Amino acid sequence: MPHVDSVATGLVDQFFAQCRPEAEPALSRWREAGELDRITVSRLRLWVANRALEALARPSSSPYERASAVRERQLLIDWLEANGHQDLA
């Protein structure tokens, strides 16, 4: 599913673009080998869940924005699981 892969990897890239400098080793592993460690996967899951919650709670967001955020959350979680990326839980 190339579309799912591109959306999911775009979300991962967006996550890293917003990260602090201490995430640099994880970013390097992602860019060089496509690998995500367990703590990064956990952080990704929290980040994407927060995005969805913020979209749902923001009065100015449209129904489309809300639905997109929820859909992207599920897409990323499904992609992480399908590609064997495990979190800390």
Side-chain angles (χ1 to χ4, degrees):
M1 296 172 93
H3 173 70
V4 171
D5 287 342
S6 65
V7 172
T9 57
L11 287 168
V12 174
D13 290 338
Q14 190 176 351
F15 165 79
F16 278 120
Q18 297 175 6
C19 281
R20 296 180 180 171
E22 58 265 16
E24 188 63 37
L27 173 59
S28 296
R29 279 191 306 279
W30 168 247
R31 286 191 176 152
E32 293 169 10
E35 296 176 357
L36 296 168
D37 58 42
R38 292 175 72 141
I39 196 158
T40 302
V41 173
S42 294
R43 288 178 177 161
L44 267 166
R45 291 174 70 108
L46 288 172
W47 173 79
V48 78
N50 259 352
R51 286 179 80 238
L53 288 172
E54 287 173 2
L56 292 170
R58 191 175 330 112
S60 62
S61 50
S62 69
Y64 175 79
E65 289 172 315
R66 293 178 188 141
S68 291
V70 171
R71 188 171 46 253
E72 286 176 348
R73 175 195 165 274
Q74 193 58 51
L75 183 141
L76 181 60
I77 289 171
D78 291 346
W79 181 85
L80 288 167
E81 291 173 356
N83 287 285
H85 298 295
Q86 299 195 359
D87 61 5
L88 293 173

